[in-house]
Amino acid sequence: MKKYFLIAALSLLMPSTHAFALELKPNIGIGLGMYGLEYDRPGVNQRNSLFGGYVKLGLDVHENLAVEMRLGRTSGKGSALYPAGTMVGVIPSPVPFSFSISTNYIFSLLAKPQLELAADFQAYGLLGATTAKITGENSLPIIAPSAVNNVGFSYGVGAEYKLADKVLVGAEWVQYWKNVNAGSAAKAAIWSVAGTVAYKF
């Protein structure tokens, strides 16, 4: 999966080779909203929604193309209860237990094709890669917390409205991870629905 992260990094670097021929426009911004964390392994099939957000640095390299670097995370932990007899590794648990998941960080490199649909309004797509770290914790004292970092393919869509001369507000949906390896026999997914604010220099 790390090849996706390399591809995204190269996509950010390639436009810079033409930097002198293009009118580059940097921007900074934030996104805040709901993040979905999904974690599946034998005995555990979990879906949690958590508040989260990111900060970003972006660069318009053309009127129809930008690139972004994002760093974010979710707040708190998503938890679920499992009954006695649920598989924990290769043995069933003798007692009920809780399992929680959280993110330590979510770092993305994204290409952002964009298209103006009306005056002061544009739609955009997102395509790139995300490296993230997910931690799983089991309430059973004999099971130590486990943390996994990996890289996954990322994609999404959104729209922005020019609220003022240099201020954009918008909304987006992003699939940061989809069925990414999260340890032995485990898969994870991360997605978000967020409101955004950006300032263009």
Side-chain angles (χ1 to χ4, degrees), residues 14-191:
M14 286 173 62
S16 66
T17 61
H18 305 286
F20 297 103
L22 299 172
E23 184 181 352
L24 303 181
K25 298 178 180 178
N27 64 82
I28 60 172
I30 62 171
L32 296 171
M34 182 182 72
Y35 279 66
L37 301 185
E38 303 179 2
Y39 185 88
D40 295 315
R41 66 168 173 77
V44 173
N45 300 101
Q46 196 155 321
R47 306 289 184 270
N48 293 112
S49 297
L50 300 171
F51 179 75
Y54 65 82
V55 294
K56 73 167 184 175
L57 294 175
L59 188 67
D60 287 354
V61 296
H62 184 271
E63 63 180 357
N64 296 124
L65 179 65
V67 291
E68 288 189 359
M69 178 173 63
R70 299 181 173 190
L71 177 62
R73 65 172 298 169
T74 57
S75 65
K77 301 175 182 180
S79 299
L81 296 174
Y82 293 87
T86 300
M87 296 299 294
V88 180
V90 295
I91 61 171
S93 173
V95 296
F97 66 92
S98 65
F99 186 80
S100 65
I101 50 177
S102 60
T103 62
N104 299 71
Y105 64 83
I106 303 169
F107 179 73
S108 304
L109 296 174
L110 303 166
K112 182 184 179 185
Q114 51 198 13
L115 180 65
E116 185 174 352
L117 299 179
D120 299 331
F121 181 78
Q122 68 175 15
Y124 62 85
L126 294 167
L127 191 66
T130 295
T131 179
K133 184 176 182 179
I134 285 188
T135 298
E137 298 180 75
N138 196 310
S139 64
L140 295 174
I142 60 172
I143 305 296
S146 61
V148 174
N149 358 3
N150 210 336
V151 180
F153 180 63
S154 305
Y155 54 92
V157 293
E160 292 176 312
Y161 174 75
K162 184 183 289 187
L163 187 65
D165 181 39
K166 296 184 178 182
V167 179
L168 300 174
V169 295
E172 64 179 25
W173 168 84
V174 183
Q175 186 80 50
Y176 289 103
W177 274 12
K178 182 69 174 180
N179 294 328
V180 171
N181 183 9
S184 179
K187 298 289 184 181
I190 306 171
W191 57 268

